[in-house]
């Protein structure tokens, strides 16, 4: 037995069989789409009751789902504006108090 011999010798793999037994690869693209159902359409998702659709690289709300949420959106927008005005008033008061202290 040689001192520096390679004892690892893997077995040879058997030759592969035919890659595909299906004849679908011989069909043209439109027939394959019909046969395999490759017409997916655009992706859609549903978040908090609002349906969104991915079109032209952006998520767009579907037309029928936003009408019910319009009032809620306007109410939230008005509340947001009120809070921003209150925040600005409080910042002004803090600045005035800091000026009085210094």
């Amino acid at each position: 037995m040689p001192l520096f011999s390679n004892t690892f010798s893997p077995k040879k793999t058997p030759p592969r069989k035919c890659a595909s037994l299906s004849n679908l690869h011989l069909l043209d693209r439109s027939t394959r789409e019909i046969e395999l159902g490759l017409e997916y359409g655009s992706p859609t998702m549903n978040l908090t009751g609002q349906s969104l659709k991915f079109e032209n690289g952006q998520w767009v709300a579907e037309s029928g789902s936003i009408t019910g949420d319009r009032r809620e959106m306007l109410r939230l927008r008005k509340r947001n504006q009120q809070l921003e005005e209150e925040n600005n008033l409080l910042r002004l008061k803090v600045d005035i108090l800091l000026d009085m202290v210094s």
Side-chain angles (χ1 to χ4, degrees), residues 40-55 57-63 65-66 69:
Y40 298 122
S42 60
T44 59
M45 70 176 174
N46 191 2
L47 292 175
T48 63
Q50 186 176 7
S51 183
L52 300 171
K53 192 175 195 179
F54 193 75
E55 292 178 347
Q58 292 183 348
W59 288 100
V60 179
E62 288 188 347
S63 61
S65 65
I66 194 147
D69 296 332

Short mmCIF file of all heavy atoms in Angstrom, two decimals, residues 40-55 57-63 65-66 69:
data_model
loop_
_atom_site.label_atom_id
_atom_site.label_comp_id
_atom_site.label_asym_id
_atom_site.label_seq_id
_atom_site.Cartn_x
_atom_site.Cartn_y
_atom_site.Cartn_z
N TYR A 40 -51.01 34.96 -16.36
CA TYR A 40 -51.22 35.27 -14.94
C TYR A 40 -52.00 36.54 -14.72
O TYR A 40 -52.71 36.69 -13.76
CB TYR A 40 -49.88 35.40 -14.21
CG TYR A 40 -49.07 34.14 -14.22
CD1 TYR A 40 -47.78 34.13 -14.75
CD2 TYR A 40 -49.57 32.97 -13.71
CE1 TYR A 40 -47.03 32.99 -14.76
CE2 TYR A 40 -48.82 31.81 -13.72
CZ TYR A 40 -47.55 31.83 -14.24
OH TYR A 40 -46.81 30.69 -14.24
N GLY A 41 -51.85 37.53 -15.55
CA GLY A 41 -52.45 38.84 -15.32
C GLY A 41 -51.59 39.63 -14.35
O GLY A 41 -50.50 39.22 -13.96
N SER A 42 -52.08 40.79 -13.93
CA SER A 42 -51.29 41.62 -13.02
C SER A 42 -51.54 41.19 -11.58
O SER A 42 -52.64 40.77 -11.23
CB SER A 42 -51.64 43.09 -13.20
OG SER A 42 -53.01 43.29 -12.94
N PRO A 43 -50.53 41.30 -10.71
CA PRO A 43 -50.71 40.89 -9.31
C PRO A 43 -51.64 41.84 -8.57
O PRO A 43 -51.63 43.05 -8.80
CB PRO A 43 -49.29 40.94 -8.73
CG PRO A 43 -48.47 41.69 -9.70
CD PRO A 43 -49.17 41.69 -11.00
N THR A 44 -52.44 41.28 -7.67
CA THR A 44 -53.35 42.08 -6.85
C THR A 44 -53.19 41.65 -5.40
O THR A 44 -52.76 40.53 -5.11
CB THR A 44 -54.81 41.88 -7.26
OG1 THR A 44 -55.14 40.51 -7.14
CG2 THR A 44 -55.06 42.35 -8.68
N MET A 45 -53.52 42.57 -4.47
CA MET A 45 -53.50 42.23 -3.06
C MET A 45 -54.58 43.02 -2.35
O MET A 45 -55.04 44.05 -2.83
CB MET A 45 -52.13 42.49 -2.44
CG MET A 45 -51.74 43.90 -2.30
SD MET A 45 -50.16 43.99 -1.46
CE MET A 45 -49.84 45.71 -1.59
N ASN A 46 -54.98 42.53 -1.18
CA ASN A 46 -56.04 43.15 -0.41
C ASN A 46 -55.48 43.55 0.95
O ASN A 46 -55.06 42.70 1.72
CB ASN A 46 -57.20 42.17 -0.26
CG ASN A 46 -58.43 42.82 0.29
OD1 ASN A 46 -58.45 44.02 0.54
ND2 ASN A 46 -59.46 42.02 0.49
N LEU A 47 -55.48 44.86 1.23
CA LEU A 47 -55.00 45.38 2.51
C LEU A 47 -56.12 46.14 3.18
O LEU A 47 -56.62 47.12 2.62
CB LEU A 47 -53.80 46.31 2.32
CG LEU A 47 -52.52 45.69 1.85
CD1 LEU A 47 -51.47 46.77 1.60
CD2 LEU A 47 -51.99 44.70 2.86
N THR A 48 -56.51 45.72 4.36
CA THR A 48 -57.55 46.36 5.17
C THR A 48 -58.79 46.68 4.34
O THR A 48 -59.33 47.78 4.38
CB THR A 48 -57.04 47.65 5.85
OG1 THR A 48 -56.66 48.60 4.84
CG2 THR A 48 -55.86 47.37 6.74
N GLY A 49 -59.23 45.72 3.57
CA GLY A 49 -60.45 45.89 2.80
C GLY A 49 -60.29 46.66 1.51
O GLY A 49 -61.24 46.81 0.76
N GLN A 50 -59.11 47.18 1.22
CA GLN A 50 -58.88 47.94 -0.01
C GLN A 50 -58.07 47.07 -0.97
O GLN A 50 -57.04 46.53 -0.61
CB GLN A 50 -58.15 49.23 0.28
CG GLN A 50 -58.00 50.12 -0.93
CD GLN A 50 -57.35 51.45 -0.58
OE1 GLN A 50 -56.91 51.64 0.53
NE2 GLN A 50 -57.30 52.34 -1.54
N SER A 51 -58.54 46.94 -2.18
CA SER A 51 -57.90 46.11 -3.18
C SER A 51 -56.92 46.94 -4.00
O SER A 51 -57.28 47.99 -4.52
CB SER A 51 -58.96 45.49 -4.08
OG SER A 51 -58.36 44.63 -5.01
N LEU A 52 -55.67 46.46 -4.10
CA LEU A 52 -54.63 47.15 -4.86
C LEU A 52 -54.18 46.28 -6.02
O LEU A 52 -54.11 45.06 -5.90
CB LEU A 52 -53.44 47.47 -3.96
CG LEU A 52 -53.72 48.36 -2.75
CD1 LEU A 52 -52.50 48.41 -1.85
CD2 LEU A 52 -54.10 49.74 -3.19
N LYS A 53 -53.84 46.92 -7.13
CA LYS A 53 -53.40 46.22 -8.33
C LYS A 53 -52.09 46.82 -8.80
O LYS A 53 -51.91 48.03 -8.77
CB LYS A 53 -54.48 46.38 -9.40
CG LYS A 53 -54.33 45.50 -10.59
CD LYS A 53 -55.53 45.68 -11.50
CE LYS A 53 -55.59 44.57 -12.51
NZ LYS A 53 -56.75 44.69 -13.39
N PHE A 54 -51.14 45.99 -9.23
CA PHE A 54 -49.82 46.44 -9.68
C PHE A 54 -49.88 46.70 -11.18
O PHE A 54 -50.03 45.78 -11.98
CB PHE A 54 -48.77 45.39 -9.36
CG PHE A 54 -47.38 45.88 -9.51
CD1 PHE A 54 -46.82 46.73 -8.57
CD2 PHE A 54 -46.61 45.51 -10.59
CE1 PHE A 54 -45.52 47.18 -8.71
CE2 PHE A 54 -45.32 45.95 -10.73
CZ PHE A 54 -44.78 46.80 -9.78
N GLU A 55 -49.75 47.98 -11.56
CA GLU A 55 -49.78 48.35 -12.98
C GLU A 55 -48.68 49.36 -13.27
O GLU A 55 -48.51 50.33 -12.53
CB GLU A 55 -51.12 48.98 -13.35
CG GLU A 55 -52.29 48.03 -13.31
CD GLU A 55 -53.61 48.72 -13.64
OE1 GLU A 55 -53.64 49.96 -13.65
OE2 GLU A 55 -54.58 48.00 -13.85
N GLY A 57 -45.54 49.43 -12.86
CA GLY A 57 -44.52 49.63 -11.83
C GLY A 57 -45.01 50.31 -10.57
O GLY A 57 -44.21 50.66 -9.72
N GLN A 58 -46.33 50.49 -10.40
CA GLN A 58 -46.86 51.12 -9.20
C GLN A 58 -48.10 50.38 -8.74
O GLN A 58 -48.84 49.81 -9.54
CB GLN A 58 -47.22 52.58 -9.47
CG GLN A 58 -46.04 53.46 -9.72
CD GLN A 58 -46.46 54.92 -9.90
OE1 GLN A 58 -47.63 55.22 -10.05
NE2 GLN A 58 -45.48 55.80 -9.87
N TRP A 59 -48.34 50.43 -7.41
CA TRP A 59 -49.56 49.84 -6.84
C TRP A 59 -50.66 50.87 -6.94
O TRP A 59 -50.54 51.99 -6.46
CB TRP A 59 -49.34 49.43 -5.39
CG TRP A 59 -48.47 48.23 -5.26
CD1 TRP A 59 -47.15 48.20 -4.97
CD2 TRP A 59 -48.87 46.87 -5.45
NE1 TRP A 59 -46.70 46.92 -4.96
CE2 TRP A 59 -47.72 46.08 -5.25
CE3 TRP A 59 -50.07 46.25 -5.77
CZ2 TRP A 59 -47.76 44.69 -5.35
CZ3 TRP A 59 -50.09 44.87 -5.87
CH2 TRP A 59 -48.95 44.10 -5.67
N VAL A 60 -51.76 50.50 -7.59
CA VAL A 60 -52.88 51.41 -7.82
C VAL A 60 -54.13 50.80 -7.19
O VAL A 60 -54.37 49.60 -7.31
CB VAL A 60 -53.10 51.59 -9.35
CG1 VAL A 60 -54.27 52.51 -9.63
CG2 VAL A 60 -51.84 52.10 -10.01
N ALA A 61 -54.94 51.64 -6.51
CA ALA A 61 -56.18 51.16 -5.93
C ALA A 61 -57.17 50.86 -7.05
O ALA A 61 -57.29 51.63 -8.00
CB ALA A 61 -56.75 52.20 -4.98
N GLU A 62 -57.87 49.75 -6.92
CA GLU A 62 -58.88 49.42 -7.92
C GLU A 62 -60.05 50.39 -7.79
O GLU A 62 -60.34 50.89 -6.71
CB GLU A 62 -59.33 47.97 -7.77
CG GLU A 62 -58.27 47.00 -8.22
CD GLU A 62 -58.78 45.57 -8.24
OE1 GLU A 62 -59.85 45.30 -7.69
OE2 GLU A 62 -58.08 44.73 -8.81
N SER A 63 -60.75 50.64 -8.87
CA SER A 63 -61.72 51.73 -8.93
C SER A 63 -62.89 51.56 -7.95
O SER A 63 -63.33 52.53 -7.36
CB SER A 63 -62.26 51.83 -10.36
OG SER A 63 -62.90 50.63 -10.72
N SER A 65 -63.13 50.08 -4.97
CA SER A 65 -62.91 49.90 -3.53
C SER A 65 -62.65 51.19 -2.78
O SER A 65 -62.76 51.23 -1.57
CB SER A 65 -61.74 48.95 -3.32
OG SER A 65 -60.57 49.52 -3.81
N ILE A 66 -62.32 52.30 -3.45
CA ILE A 66 -61.94 53.50 -2.72
C ILE A 66 -63.14 54.39 -2.38
O ILE A 66 -63.05 55.25 -1.52
CB ILE A 66 -60.88 54.30 -3.51
CG1 ILE A 66 -60.23 55.34 -2.62
CG2 ILE A 66 -61.48 54.97 -4.71
CD1 ILE A 66 -58.83 55.60 -2.91
N ASP A 69 -64.11 54.38 1.35
CA ASP A 69 -63.08 54.88 2.26
C ASP A 69 -62.80 56.37 2.06
O ASP A 69 -61.98 56.94 2.77
CB ASP A 69 -61.79 54.09 2.05
CG ASP A 69 -61.96 52.64 2.42
OD1 ASP A 69 -62.80 52.35 3.28
OD2 ASP A 69 -61.24 51.81 1.84
#
